[in-house]
Amino acid sequence: MNEIGMCAAVFGDLALGEALDRVTGTGFDVIDLPTDSPFRTLKEWWDGSMSGADVRRQLDEHGIKAACVSNSRDSLLLLGPYGPHTDPVLAGTPEEKRAHGRRAALRAIDLAAEVGAPLARLAFGCPDFARWLDWQGSAVGWRDNVEAFARESREILARARDRGVRICVETHPKQIVFDFASVKAFLEAMEDDLDVLSLCVDPANLATVGCRGEPLLRAVAPHVSCLHVKDVEIWTGDTPPPADARWVRYGPQPPIRFRAMGWGDLDWRRLITVLVEIGYQGPYLVEHEDVFVQREKGLVSARERLHALVQAGGRSRRTW
């Protein structure tokens, strides 16, 4: 049966021991362990006073398995962008930011190997978001972003191979993979590296740009190693949403806000049916980003809903 876990970034304001207490308190024993430098969770690991062995010891003491080690903030500086909006991660020149992103990715891979996690989920950013638009007379397009990743990722891919860790790249509007076409371009360009590269598919992220998760999952089934579970609401009004209701925009698409599973617009019964169809064997990782549902209660509710659906899902014989 697929493992059901959660993304521990929701407890990023807590030190590692307390965060792990909250994880077990919500009924989970499988996690995505975040290494983002702004979090308190692995602050001591970042500054060198806590080793990978220390992290694994605390996981073992709590009876928790790391299905994945992740970085969603620092590693995105590998590709950028490098303007002032990424200064809160690291202020500096593009070269300094790029070096920080590479180091963060390499350290996350090393920690994954040290704690026994098979996956490292990394965000690599995007050099130029304007490349989704074709300019008359120009041959520049989205594939140039993918080729930038191919150039900048060689050391990272080599480290993952050496450490026996598989990298999963999340489908997200801040990344070079965010919809059907960009995922297709990524898989084609990185064909020789798919032994160590895979996808973390997030249907809610896909929905923010109008991409349906079901057909994408069917099309890229062999390359899906991880699945994020959260929900999303998409604004349908003709006027802007209320300013205090936490709606955000990723681009020219309608405003969205992420919700706990069952509180948004996604049909998770249909999504899990597709996952059964394609024989998905990876983990389901609940991601809580809902500011209108208390995090512990939202995690428990999502775990119970997901467990019921995953347990019910499966192939059986026709009776008629």
Side-chain angles (χ1 to χ4, degrees), residues 228-297:
H228 274 182
V229 179
K230 64 174 180 282
D231 223 319
V232 64
E233 283 182 283
I234 299 175
W235 180 255
T236 58
D238 295 325
T239 58
D244 60 348
R246 304 298 181 91
W247 294 87
V248 299
R249 298 184 73 180
Y250 279 127
Q253 299 82 11
I256 63 98
R257 59 185 179 187
F258 290 123
R259 304 302 313 271
M261 183 187 184
W263 288 75
D265 301 331
L266 295 183
D267 188 338
W268 276 99
R269 291 173 299 178
R270 183 175 297 168
L271 282 161
I272 289 175
T273 298
V274 171
L275 290 162
V276 172
E277 287 177 7
I278 67 175
Y280 174 68
Q281 297 297 313
Y284 292 87
L285 296 174
V286 174
E287 191 175 29
H288 185 84
E289 298 182 6
D290 192 329
V291 297
F292 294 100
V293 176
Q294 296 177 26
R295 57 184 174 181
E296 283 88 353
K297 292 182 179 179

Side-chain angles (χ1 to χ4, degrees), residues 153-195:
S153 65
R154 304 322 306 174
E155 183 182 359
I156 294 167
L157 298 177
R159 180 70 64 86
R161 282 195 183 91
D162 182 61
R163 300 306 302 264
V165 173
R166 196 176 187 197
I167 295 171
C168 52
V169 181
E170 182 180 352
T171 54
H172 195 288
K174 289 184 180 179
Q175 296 234 67
I176 58 172
V177 288
F178 67 94
D179 67 355
F180 201 105
S182 58
V183 167
K184 182 174 182 290
F186 175 78
L187 295 175
E188 289 175 351
M190 304 304 298
E191 182 179 8
D192 294 338
D193 296 294
L194 295 180
D195 61 313

Side-chain angles (χ1 to χ4, degrees), residues 4 22 48 94 157 209:
I4 294 177
R22 299 289 185 94
L157 298 177
V209 295

Side-chain angles (χ1 to χ4, degrees), residues 58-79:
Q58 291 205 45
L59 290 170
D60 291 343
E61 288 173 356
H62 284 81
I64 292 173
K65 171 186 174 181
C68 183
V69 169
S70 64
N71 193 291
S72 300
R73 287 177 170 81
D74 304 273
S75 60
L76 66 80
L77 293 186
L78 182 76
L79 298 181

Side-chain angles (χ1 to χ4, degrees), residues 17 20-21 24 54-64:
L20 296 179
D21 287 341
T24 57
D54 295 329
V55 175
R56 179 153 193 172
R57 188 176 306 111
Q58 291 205 45
L59 290 170
D60 291 343
E61 288 173 356
H62 284 81
I64 292 173

